[in-house]
Amino acid sequence: MKPLIFAIGDKTPKIHETAFIAPGAVVCGDVEIHENASVWYGCVLRGDTNKIVVGKGSNVQDGTIIHVDAPEWGGLPTLIGENVLVGHKCMLHGAKVEDGGFVGMCATMLDGSIVETGAMLAAGAFLSPKKIVPAGEMWAGMPAKKFRDLREGEDKMATIGAGHYVEEARIHAKALSED
C-alpha cells in the first residue's frame, strides 16, 4: 500500500525527497511538505481550494485531517511551521501553527486560529476561529482557553518530539522499503 498523492487541476503536491508520507495517507492539491517532515498513517491533507504547508522537521500524526476553504470564501491556508508536533487525530482547518508549536491529540483548530511559537494546545482542545494561543501558554478545553503558563522547558517539547519523529520516519521508511 502506498500513500495516495495527486494533483487537483493545476494544484500539485510538492514533497521534499526526505519527507516521509506513510502508506494510507492522502495528500492532494496545493500541499507543500518540507525537508524531514512526516505525514503518518491515515492522514488526509486536502489542499483543493487553498494552500497547506508542513514545515521542515514537522510531523502530522496518524489520523489527522487538514483542510482549507477557498480565499474567495474568506478561507485561509493551513500553515505548519518548522519542528511542529501535531498529535494523533487532530483537525486543522485554515489554521496556523508557528515554529515549535504543539497540538495535542484529538485537538481541533478552526479558521484563523494560531498556536504561537513554543505554545501548546492540549489534547482534546477545541480552538475557536481567530483565537490565538500565545507563546508560553497552554490552552485546554472546549472551547479552549488559557489553562496555565508553561513550565520551564515545556516550550521545547514540540521541537524535541519533532526530532523524535524525524528518526521514527526514517525507521518506518526503511522497514517499508524492505517489504
Side-chain angles (χ1 to χ4, degrees):
M1 177 184 234
K2 291 183 171 185
L4 184 56
I5 301 169
F6 60 96
I8 296 178
D10 62 351
K11 298 173 182 166
T12 303
K14 295 174 186 73
I15 301 170
H16 193 274
E17 63 187 22
T18 62
F20 172 71
I21 312 299
V26 177
V27 177
C28 58
D30 190 1
V31 179
E32 292 179 17
I33 301 172
H34 290 250
E35 180 181 350
N36 291 320
S38 56
V39 175
W40 290 85
Y41 307 96
C43 290
V44 176
L45 281 67
R46 185 161 58 101
D48 49 358
T49 58
N50 209 324
K51 179 186 268 320
I52 296 170
V53 176
V54 179
K56 179 180 174 181
S58 292
N59 62 86
V60 177
Q61 296 174 24
D62 312 64
T64 291
I65 297 173
I66 301 176
H67 190 236
V68 288
D69 280 334
E72 58 269 24
W73 303 339
L76 299 168
T78 296
L79 305 173
I80 298 171
E82 295 184 3
N83 302 309
V84 167
L85 193 144
V86 177
H88 308 289
K89 291 178 59 178
C90 292
M91 171 85 65
L92 280 67
H93 195 279
K96 182 177 182 180
V97 185
E98 294 181 350
D99 297 347
F102 182 103
V103 180
M105 290 184 214
C106 297
T108 298
M109 295 179 66
L110 295 183
D111 300 80
S113 65
I114 300 171
V115 172
E116 290 186 345
T117 297
M120 297 179 85
L121 182 63
F126 181 88
L127 194 59
S128 302
K130 300 181 182 176
K131 294 292 182 181
I132 298 172
V133 180
E137 294 183 7
M138 176 189 291
W139 282 35
M142 297 180 80
K145 60 184 177 186
K146 184 178 178 179
F147 180 66
R148 65 174 171 82
D149 290 328
L150 295 180
R151 296 179 188 105
E152 186 174 336
E154 282 185 320
D155 61 333
K156 304 294 186 237
M157 295 291 288
T159 300
I160 293 166
H164 164 75
Y165 269 89
V166 169
E167 291 306 312
E168 200 65 26
R170 287 183 183 133
I171 292 166
H172 282 250
K174 183 175 188 271
L176 289 164
S177 72
E178 293 172 356
D179 286 342

